[in-house]
Amino acid sequence: MVDNVIFDVDGTLIDSVDEHAEAWRRAFIEFGRDIPFAHVRSQIGKGADQLLPVFFNDEELERFGKDLEEYRSALFKREFLPKVRPFPRVKELFQQLRKSNRKLALASSAKDDELKRYVELCGIDGLFEAKTTKDEVDKSKPHPDIFEAALTKLGKPDPATVVVVGDTPYDALAAGKLRLATVGVLCGGFRPDDLRTAGCRTLVKDPAELLRRLEQDPEAWPWDAASRDSSKDEESR
């Protein structure tokens, strides 16, 4: 029985992956590095501590890493955050989960002030027990720190009773290090094969599909992979 659900936010509940990628791409140009959009996008889901070393060496990060991160953050909040929107039926999904007595948590690589805005956009304030952000831990995904902090806030439940919902391979890799099952949502734009390889037990299209399946059978939701055949995953692509 799944009693606890931990949600990633960017790309899972909020349609923001392209906006984050473009903000990083433009910030990189400002600091002398022109990186193709697709390459930058492939790293979204990590926090700056894990993303920046992909594109800059230690000496560069020592010189201007903090300035770059601050520039990107201000750019995102000014030009991109006003554009992001929640995926359909996020609030209804959270309401339905609460009706079935499941505890919910948010676990995001975003900064705390960005996460507050996302909660407002989704209309889910008061519908979850806990939230964790990059600001609270040393390392972001694919390290497990953010999910580990969420588990602590949920009362350290048995991992067998917890499912993570995320859109990137980094969510699944981080969750797997804590023996947590992961449901991958495809709305973030990552390839199904990449999500499966990283450890997602099953895939669905978006939060609206999660809600539909929950309404159909509250006791056998998508993470009950043993009760589902592979054709259901193909329908989600």
Side-chain angles (χ1 to χ4, degrees):
M1 178 65 70
V2 173
D3 297 319
N4 307 272
V5 187
I6 302 175
F7 285 91
D8 170 61
V9 181
D10 282 297
T12 300
L13 306 179
I14 293 284
D15 189 1
S16 58
V17 175
D18 285 350
E19 286 76 12
H20 277 292
E22 181 61 14
W24 277 117
R25 190 190 71 82
R26 285 174 51 180
F28 291 165
I29 290 174
E30 186 70 18
F31 285 80
R33 193 68 46 84
D34 191 356
I35 307 294
F37 176 84
H39 191 185
V40 179
R41 195 188 194 286
S42 72
Q43 299 300 312
I44 301 302
K46 300 177 178 180
D49 63 305
Q50 301 300 310
L51 184 149
L52 286 176
V54 175
F55 303 104
F56 297 90
N57 62 39
D58 290 343
E59 188 274 333
E60 290 169 327
L61 293 177
E62 180 68 24
R63 281 194 292 116
F64 56 74
K66 184 176 180 180
D67 291 340
L68 193 162
E69 184 177 353
E70 291 176 352
Y71 180 91
R72 195 284 325 173
S73 180
L75 175 65
F76 178 77
K77 291 173 187 175
R78 182 177 69 249
E79 296 191 25
F80 296 96
L81 185 57
K83 300 177 183 179
V84 303
R85 295 292 181 268
F87 289 113
R89 309 203 72 188
V90 170
K91 181 177 181 178
E92 292 90 340
L93 172 61
F94 275 56
Q95 289 172 329
Q96 185 66 31
L97 284 166
R98 292 296 292 267
K99 287 180 183 178
S100 61
N101 297 315
R102 292 182 170 102
K103 292 183 178 180
L104 310 181
L106 306 180
S108 172
S109 294
K111 294 180 178 294
D112 189 63
D113 55 350
E114 292 174 11
L115 184 57
K116 288 179 180 177
R117 179 57 180 155
Y118 295 155
V119 169
E120 292 175 0
L121 287 171
C122 291
I124 56 174
D125 191 24
L127 294 178
F128 54 89
E129 277 69 31
K131 63 180 178 67
T132 58
T133 68
K134 172 61 180 69
D135 295 335
E136 301 176 52
V137 298
D138 292 330
K139 295 180 180 179
S140 65
K141 305 166 191 173
H143 294 277
D145 303 31
I146 291 174
F147 291 141
E148 191 167 28
L151 287 174
T152 298
K153 291 184 178 183
L154 289 172
K156 297 185 178 180
D158 184 334
T161 69
V162 182
V163 161
V164 168
V165 181
D167 71 302
T168 76
Y170 315 118
D171 294 308
L173 290 170
K177 292 169 184 175
L178 300 174
R179 298 183 293 115
L180 306 178
T182 304
V183 172
V185 292
L186 299 173
C187 49
F190 285 81
R191 298 192 319 137
D193 286 350
D194 291 340
L195 294 174
R196 289 193 180 94
T197 299
C200 289
R201 284 177 54 176
T202 189
L203 303 178
V204 296
K205 180 181 178 182
D206 56 17
E209 184 177 351
L210 286 176
L211 175 62
R212 177 177 61 80
R213 294 191 180 191
L214 180 62
E215 290 173 335
Q216 289 176 345
D217 190 346
E219 298 303 321
W221 218 35
W223 45 67
D224 187 10
S227 68
R228 302 178 57 249
D229 63 305
S230 60
S231 64
K232 294 289 183 69
D233 280 343
E234 295 300 322
E235 293 170 5
S236 301
R237 293 192 184 191

XYZ file of all heavy atoms in Angstrom, residues 16-53:
306
model
N 7.625 24.169 -16.986
C 8.676 25.180 -16.843
C 10.043 24.737 -17.344
O 11.012 25.493 -17.225
C 8.804 25.586 -15.368
O 9.099 24.448 -14.562
N 10.156 23.543 -17.899
C 11.473 23.023 -18.264
C 12.127 23.873 -19.350
O 13.302 24.244 -19.250
C 11.378 21.551 -18.704
C 12.737 21.054 -19.198
C 10.900 20.687 -17.551
N 11.388 24.213 -20.404
C 11.960 25.026 -21.475
C 12.383 26.400 -20.956
O 13.417 26.939 -21.370
C 10.954 25.196 -22.613
C 10.808 23.951 -23.455
O 11.610 23.011 -23.290
O 9.883 23.915 -24.296
N 11.592 26.969 -20.061
C 11.923 28.280 -19.506
C 13.211 28.237 -18.688
O 14.059 29.131 -18.793
C 10.763 28.799 -18.658
C 9.564 29.288 -19.448
C 8.714 28.159 -20.019
O 8.914 26.996 -19.616
O 7.840 28.438 -20.871
N 13.362 27.199 -17.884
C 14.605 27.053 -17.126
C 15.803 26.871 -18.054
O 16.867 27.475 -17.846
C 14.508 25.862 -16.176
C 13.818 26.175 -14.890
N 14.355 27.016 -13.943
C 12.627 25.749 -14.383
C 13.523 27.103 -12.911
N 12.470 26.347 -13.157
N 15.626 26.059 -19.088
C 16.731 25.813 -20.014
C 17.146 27.085 -20.731
O 18.343 27.373 -20.881
C 16.334 24.736 -21.019
N 16.185 27.865 -21.174
C 16.521 29.090 -21.887
C 17.163 30.121 -20.961
O 18.080 30.852 -21.365
C 15.274 29.670 -22.554
C 15.502 30.936 -23.352
C 16.477 30.774 -24.520
O 16.791 29.618 -24.905
O 16.922 31.811 -25.052
N 16.709 30.185 -19.726
C 17.336 31.104 -18.774
C 18.794 30.724 -18.534
O 19.686 31.596 -18.497
C 16.559 31.108 -17.462
N 19.063 29.435 -18.371
C 20.448 28.995 -18.205
C 21.263 29.287 -19.466
O 22.405 29.760 -19.392
C 20.504 27.503 -17.898
C 20.294 27.134 -16.470
C 19.283 26.379 -15.950
C 21.136 27.477 -15.353
N 19.431 26.240 -14.595
C 20.557 26.898 -14.200
C 22.311 28.220 -15.227
C 21.122 27.039 -12.939
C 22.881 28.360 -13.966
C 22.290 27.784 -12.839
N 20.689 28.995 -20.642
C 21.420 29.205 -21.899
C 21.830 30.665 -22.042
O 22.971 30.984 -22.397
C 20.566 28.772 -23.083
C 21.318 28.717 -24.415
C 20.376 28.525 -25.581
N 19.591 29.740 -25.819
C 20.037 30.803 -26.502
N 21.254 30.793 -27.030
N 19.265 31.849 -26.679
N 20.914 31.568 -21.765
C 21.224 32.992 -21.881
C 22.231 33.436 -20.823
O 23.088 34.295 -21.080
C 19.931 33.801 -21.796
C 19.112 33.709 -23.076
C 17.769 34.388 -22.969
N 17.836 35.748 -22.471
C 16.767 36.512 -22.301
N 15.549 36.037 -22.578
N 16.897 37.749 -21.839
N 22.145 32.865 -19.647
C 23.125 33.188 -18.608
C 24.516 32.711 -19.014
O 25.521 33.412 -18.793
C 22.703 32.562 -17.286
N 24.593 31.528 -19.617
C 25.886 31.018 -20.067
C 26.511 31.955 -21.105
O 27.721 32.204 -21.093
C 25.728 29.621 -20.663
C 25.370 28.550 -19.658
C 24.902 27.316 -20.083
C 25.488 28.771 -18.299
C 24.583 26.322 -19.176
C 25.163 27.787 -17.380
C 24.714 26.557 -17.829
N 25.693 32.451 -22.027
C 26.204 33.382 -23.040
C 26.783 34.623 -22.376
O 27.840 35.126 -22.773
C 25.084 33.755 -24.026
C 24.718 32.544 -24.905
C 25.493 34.930 -24.907
C 23.526 32.776 -25.807
N 26.100 35.104 -21.364
C 26.568 36.295 -20.650
C 27.950 36.068 -20.029
O 28.741 37.011 -19.886
C 25.562 36.662 -19.556
C 25.839 37.947 -18.823
C 25.633 39.190 -19.681
O 24.957 39.086 -20.737
O 26.150 40.250 -19.303
N 28.242 34.804 -19.706
C 29.531 34.479 -19.086
C 30.465 33.748 -20.062
O 31.375 33.031 -19.647
C 29.305 33.664 -17.819
C 28.803 34.498 -16.668
C 27.466 34.857 -16.585
C 29.676 34.958 -15.689
C 27.000 35.643 -15.533
C 29.220 35.745 -14.644
C 27.876 36.098 -14.565
N 30.217 33.950 -21.359
C 31.172 33.531 -22.370
C 31.062 32.125 -22.897
O 31.994 31.631 -23.538
N 29.943 31.459 -22.679
C 29.798 30.078 -23.128
C 28.473 29.922 -23.880
O 27.404 30.096 -23.303
C 29.837 29.142 -21.916
C 30.017 27.660 -22.223
C 31.375 27.320 -22.790
N 32.494 27.931 -22.082
C 33.067 27.445 -20.995
N 32.640 26.330 -20.451
N 34.098 28.061 -20.452
N 28.555 29.629 -25.188
C 27.353 29.461 -26.011
C 27.056 27.971 -26.137
O 27.718 27.252 -26.892
C 27.565 30.085 -27.386
C 26.280 30.177 -28.196
O 25.242 29.680 -27.716
O 26.311 30.733 -29.302
N 26.060 27.501 -25.385
C 25.718 26.076 -25.329
C 24.393 25.853 -26.057
O 23.436 26.604 -25.835
C 25.583 25.601 -23.867
C 26.833 25.948 -23.057
C 25.292 24.102 -23.817
C 28.070 25.231 -23.495
N 24.285 24.845 -26.904
C 23.017 24.578 -27.582
C 21.879 24.332 -26.584
O 22.082 23.713 -25.532
C 23.301 23.312 -28.397
C 24.787 23.328 -28.610
C 25.355 23.931 -27.370
N 20.706 24.812 -26.944
C 19.548 24.701 -26.060
C 19.296 23.255 -25.642
O 19.032 22.979 -24.460
C 18.306 25.264 -26.772
C 17.031 25.114 -26.000
C 16.674 26.036 -25.027
C 16.169 24.040 -26.240
C 15.501 25.905 -24.304
C 15.001 23.898 -25.526
C 14.657 24.827 -24.552
N 19.358 22.314 -26.593
C 19.050 20.915 -26.283
C 20.006 20.343 -25.242
O 19.600 19.543 -24.387
C 19.097 20.072 -27.553
N 21.273 20.750 -25.303
C 22.249 20.258 -24.327
C 21.927 20.795 -22.939
O 21.977 20.067 -21.947
C 23.655 20.655 -24.747
C 24.739 19.989 -23.973
N 26.072 20.279 -24.129
C 24.690 19.041 -22.987
C 26.786 19.542 -23.297
N 25.973 18.784 -22.598
N 21.582 22.074 -22.874
C 21.210 22.655 -21.589
C 19.946 21.987 -21.056
O 19.871 21.621 -19.880
C 20.994 24.178 -21.717
C 20.591 24.769 -20.373
C 22.255 24.861 -22.227
N 18.970 21.805 -21.919
C 17.690 21.229 -21.481
C 17.867 19.836 -20.902
O 17.155 19.444 -19.970
C 16.700 21.180 -22.647
C 15.254 20.951 -22.197
C 14.328 20.713 -23.377
N 12.932 20.818 -22.996
C 12.243 19.912 -22.298
N 12.862 18.802 -21.886
N 10.981 20.093 -22.000
N 18.797 19.089 -21.422
C 18.999 17.719 -20.948
C 19.445 17.674 -19.495
O 19.360 16.620 -18.853
C 20.032 17.005 -21.824
O 21.349 17.512 -21.593
N 19.922 18.800 -18.973
C 20.418 18.840 -17.594
C 19.402 19.428 -16.615
O 19.650 19.455 -15.402
C 21.706 19.665 -17.532
C 22.834 19.105 -18.384
C 23.228 17.702 -17.958
O 23.429 17.435 -16.782
N 23.322 16.797 -18.922
N 18.272 19.923 -17.122
C 17.264 20.500 -16.244
C 16.672 19.394 -15.368
O 16.363 18.299 -15.837
C 16.157 21.203 -17.055
C 16.770 22.308 -17.919
C 15.092 21.762 -16.129
C 17.529 23.369 -17.146
N 16.505 19.710 -14.111
C 16.127 18.713 -13.110
C 17.190 18.632 -12.031
O 16.925 18.198 -10.911
N 18.394 19.079 -12.384
C 19.461 19.226 -11.408
C 19.428 20.644 -10.836
O 18.962 21.575 -11.490
C 20.832 19.015 -12.067
C 21.048 17.660 -12.700
C 22.416 17.619 -13.373
C 22.707 16.263 -13.984
N 24.035 16.227 -14.649
N 19.956 20.812 -9.625
C 20.192 22.144 -9.122
C 21.472 22.702 -9.707
O 22.241 21.999 -10.381
N 21.729 23.995 -9.455
C 22.921 24.631 -10.008
C 24.201 23.926 -9.585
O 25.166 23.864 -10.346
C 22.967 26.098 -9.588
N 24.228 23.363 -8.381
C 25.444 22.712 -7.887
C 25.845 21.515 -8.731
O 27.029 21.190 -8.839
C 25.256 22.283 -6.427
C 24.152 21.239 -6.276
O 23.014 21.513 -6.736
O 24.408 20.161 -5.709
N 24.857 20.864 -9.354
C 25.134 19.702 -10.205
C 25.123 20.052 -11.684
O 25.762 19.374 -12.491
C 24.098 18.601 -9.931
C 24.057 18.129 -8.497
C 25.375 17.552 -8.042
O 25.965 16.697 -8.705
N 25.872 18.036 -6.905
N 24.415 21.088 -12.068
C 24.301 21.474 -13.473
C 25.526 22.243 -13.963
O 26.067 21.954 -15.033
C 23.031 22.299 -13.671
C 22.655 22.724 -15.088
C 21.138 22.822 -15.223
C 23.280 24.071 -15.478
N 25.978 23.212 -13.196
C 27.077 24.065 -13.662
C 28.366 23.304 -13.958
O 29.051 23.616 -14.943
C 27.331 25.175 -12.639
C 26.285 26.290 -12.609
C 26.590 27.280 -11.483
C 26.234 27.024 -13.945
N 28.757 22.297 -13.142
C 29.990 21.568 -13.452
C 29.958 20.800 -14.766
O 31.019 20.382 -15.261
C 30.137 20.610 -12.259
C 29.410 21.278 -11.142
C 28.238 21.931 -11.810
